[in-house]
Amino acid sequence: MSEDQIIGLLTSNIIYVLAAVLIITVIFKGIKIVPQSEKYVVERFGRLHSVLGPGINFIVPFLDVARHKISILERQLPNATQDAITKDNVLVQIDTSVFYRILEPEKTVYRIRDVDGAIATTVAGIVRAEIGKMDLDEVQSNRAQLITRIQESVETAVDDWGIEVTRAEILDVNLDQATRDAMLQQLNAERARRAQVTEAEGQKRAVELNADAELYAAEQTAKARRIQAEAEAYATGVVAKAIQDNGIEAAQYQVALKQVEALNALGNGTGSQTIVVPANALEAFGNAFNMLKGGK
């Protein structure tokens, strides 16, 4: 095949070659494969036309252009520190961190230029406003409630931007040195007060326990006396019953027995003792011995 024949063949098929190239180009231009973590904002003649989700999408080649590729992954703003004044006029420094993600990229693209800067400014203003509604003690003790209120306020503020605030955190609440010293003095005073209250309560409890012990001892003494009185009454009743059954001799026997026991007790004493006994007592002792012998 000569050179002229080859040139003639190419000239006659150039239209088909160009057509094939055009078709392939149109196919590649019309197919858009969007990653799972992104969304594409498509414009037609410079205006918003559609938003392409993850997967295979088809557009009109040369008319539609995927102008913006937006990541829908959750993002974290850099940690920010802002000053705020509490309701009781205490200056504090609040360290915050915000997490968000883009749900409607068409709003984010066409309504706000710097998303991160806009959210950071909004969070700073809301934090100052919420801190100004609370005393310092409330800021320290109700941090979870404060975080919830800040997140709700931020979500409302950024709703027009197609953004969802997934989490807002207060990392730290810092105070100046003068305020820290004052709080430390207050804390020490509170601890001293609690110690005094605890000591007073302990003394009060000791007094109550001592009173209970004395009351218990008195009750036991009274109980013992009552038992002793009952025993004596019983013994007296037995003696009275014996006198009633056996006459006056039973009483004389008991008296004689007591006299002999007393004499034995005197005789068993230690050391030298001089005992003066009345004359009629000797006669009584003799009668007692005689009655005891008879009793035996």
Side-chain angles (χ1 to χ4, degrees):
M1 182 179 294
S2 64
E3 184 177 351
D4 294 336
Q5 290 176 339
I6 295 174
I7 295 175
L9 181 62
L10 292 176
T11 304
S12 61
N13 294 327
I14 190 65
I15 297 176
Y16 298 105
V17 174
L18 293 177
V21 172
L22 179 62
I23 292 173
I24 294 173
T25 303
V26 168
I27 292 174
F28 276 102
K29 286 287 186 179
I31 296 176
K32 290 295 181 182
I33 299 177
V34 181
Q36 180 67 38
S37 60
E38 295 182 350
K39 286 185 178 181
Y40 290 178
V41 177
V42 177
E43 294 181 354
R44 178 176 292 179
F45 300 115
R47 299 184 60 182
L48 173 66
H49 176 66
S50 63
V51 177
L52 305 182
I56 298 178
N57 299 270
F58 299 94
I59 61 175
V60 178
F62 307 109
L63 298 181
D64 298 340
V65 179
R67 186 69 64 185
H68 305 281
K69 299 178 180 180
I70 305 300
S71 174
I72 58 176
L73 295 176
E74 187 173 4
R75 309 179 187 185
Q76 179 185 6
L77 290 179
N79 296 343
T81 301
Q82 55 262 356
D83 295 335
I85 300 178
T86 62
K87 186 178 179 180
D88 50 352
N89 295 323
V90 177
L91 178 63
V92 296
Q93 288 184 338
I94 310 296
D95 295 338
T96 59
S97 179
V98 177
F99 297 80
Y100 75 94
R101 62 181 178 180
I102 298 175
L103 298 181
E104 300 175 90
E106 65 276 16
K107 293 183 179 180
T108 307
V109 169
Y110 297 109
R111 292 186 179 181
I112 190 71
R113 180 181 296 276
D114 183 4
V115 179
D116 291 353
I119 296 178
T121 303
T122 303
V123 170
I126 291 175
V127 167
R128 291 190 181 98
E130 293 296 334
I131 293 295
K133 300 177 184 178
M134 306 174 67
D135 292 333
L136 179 60
D137 293 340
E138 295 177 345
V139 174
Q140 298 284 6
S141 60
N142 298 329
R143 184 175 296 187
Q145 179 182 357
L146 177 61
I147 290 174
T148 301
R149 289 164 56 181
I150 291 175
Q151 182 172 347
E152 292 175 351
S153 300
V154 173
E155 287 179 351
T156 303
V158 303
D159 183 63
D160 292 338
W161 301 338
I163 295 171
E164 177 189 20
V165 177
T166 57
R167 187 170 54 178
E169 295 289 344
I170 293 180
L171 304 178
D172 199 4
V173 178
N174 299 315
L175 306 173
D176 56 17
Q177 190 60 40
T179 304
R180 290 182 180 180
D181 294 340
M183 291 184 64
L184 182 60
Q185 292 179 359
Q186 181 181 1
L187 180 60
N188 292 334
E190 180 64 18
R191 289 176 178 174
R193 184 190 67 81
R194 291 182 179 179
Q196 292 177 356
V197 170
T198 302
E199 182 180 0
E201 290 179 350
Q203 293 177 355
K204 176 183 176 182
R205 184 57 179 166
V207 171
E208 291 176 351
L209 292 176
N210 188 30
D212 291 341
E214 292 179 355
L215 178 61
Y216 177 76
E219 291 176 350
Q220 294 300 316
T221 301
K223 183 178 180 181
R225 290 179 179 177
R226 178 176 61 80
I227 294 174
Q228 182 179 2
E230 290 177 353
E232 292 178 355
Y234 176 76
T236 303
V238 171
V239 173
K241 184 72 169 58
I243 294 173
Q244 182 180 1
D245 294 341
N246 301 317
I248 194 63
E249 293 180 355
Q252 292 175 348
Y253 176 79
Q254 291 293 330
V255 173
L257 181 61
K258 295 296 183 181
Q259 290 175 345
V260 172
E261 291 177 353
L263 184 61
N264 289 334
L266 292 174
N268 292 330
T270 59
S272 60
Q273 297 179 357
T274 302
I275 302 174
V276 180
V277 180
N280 57 355
L282 296 176
E283 182 179 358
F285 288 145
N287 294 332
F289 283 115
N290 290 331
M291 293 182 66
L292 291 174
K293 289 180 180 179
K296 294 180 181 179

